[in-house]
Amino acid sequence: DRIPWLCALHDILRREEASRQDAVLACSALKKIYRCILVSGPAALESNEPEKPRENTALKILFVHLDGPVDVIARRLEKRRGHFMSPELLKSQFDTLEPPRAPENFITVSIEKSLPEIVLEIEKGIFS
């Protein structure tokens, strides 16, 4: 059920690239195939090797993997009000998670850092 949504996000990113616009997209692309779809669109589903995107469809995306201990994330979720993500869903999210690995284009940033430190680290990843 996520595939059409991920393909639509790929299309939005493709349009931004065609307009020479930079874009920031926030979503929980927990599985490798989800990230492949964001990079290559439906072509990722057709390929026997989705981790090797076709040159004509591939977007250059830097994935930011926000990493942290379950207990820290659980405490933060418990403090949220009016958010769709309940703390009871956290375990299933960690069970589903396939952390990015080479050759994916990503950086890992600890959520235990301060917000300014997190932003600075992401900026360094973008501009390096």
Side-chain angles (χ1 to χ4, degrees):
D1 63 337
R2 288 176 177 86
I3 303 304
W5 175 69
L6 292 165
C7 288
L9 293 176
H10 168 81
D11 291 343
I12 290 167
L13 293 172
R14 165 82 52 226
R15 282 194 303 272
E16 293 300 308
E17 179 192 56
S19 299
R20 299 200 183 289
Q21 297 294 312
D22 294 326
V24 174
L25 170 71
C27 72
S28 57
L30 297 175
K31 293 186 176 191
K32 182 177 182 179
I33 189 63
Y34 299 167
R35 296 185 296 274
C36 290
I37 293 167
L38 290 170
V39 169
S40 298
L45 299 169
E46 300 160 5
S47 172
N48 290 337
E49 300 178 78
E51 65 279 354
K52 293 185 179 178
R54 296 179 188 168
E55 286 303 315
N56 62 339
T57 61
L59 294 171
K60 182 160 175 50
I61 297 175
L62 174 67
F63 290 97
V64 178
H65 174 62
L66 296 172
D67 189 35
V70 175
D71 60 320
V72 171
I73 296 170
R75 281 195 307 273
R76 290 181 183 179
L77 281 174
E78 288 169 2
K79 292 179 183 178
R80 286 183 177 177
R81 296 293 172 248
H83 194 272
F84 70 92
M85 176 70 180
S86 70
E88 292 78 31
L89 296 174
L90 185 58
K91 182 183 178 332
S92 69
Q93 296 289 289
F94 269 87
D95 290 346
T96 301
L97 177 63
E98 297 171 4
R101 289 189 278 199
E104 291 180 90
N105 187 29
F106 73 97
I107 59 172
T108 299
V109 180
S110 171
I111 63 160
E112 294 185 286
K113 294 181 176 188
S114 70
L115 185 55
E117 290 173 312
I118 290 171
V119 170
L120 185 61
E121 198 165 329
I122 293 170
E123 286 177 342
K124 282 196 292 191
I126 291 170
F127 296 112
S128 65

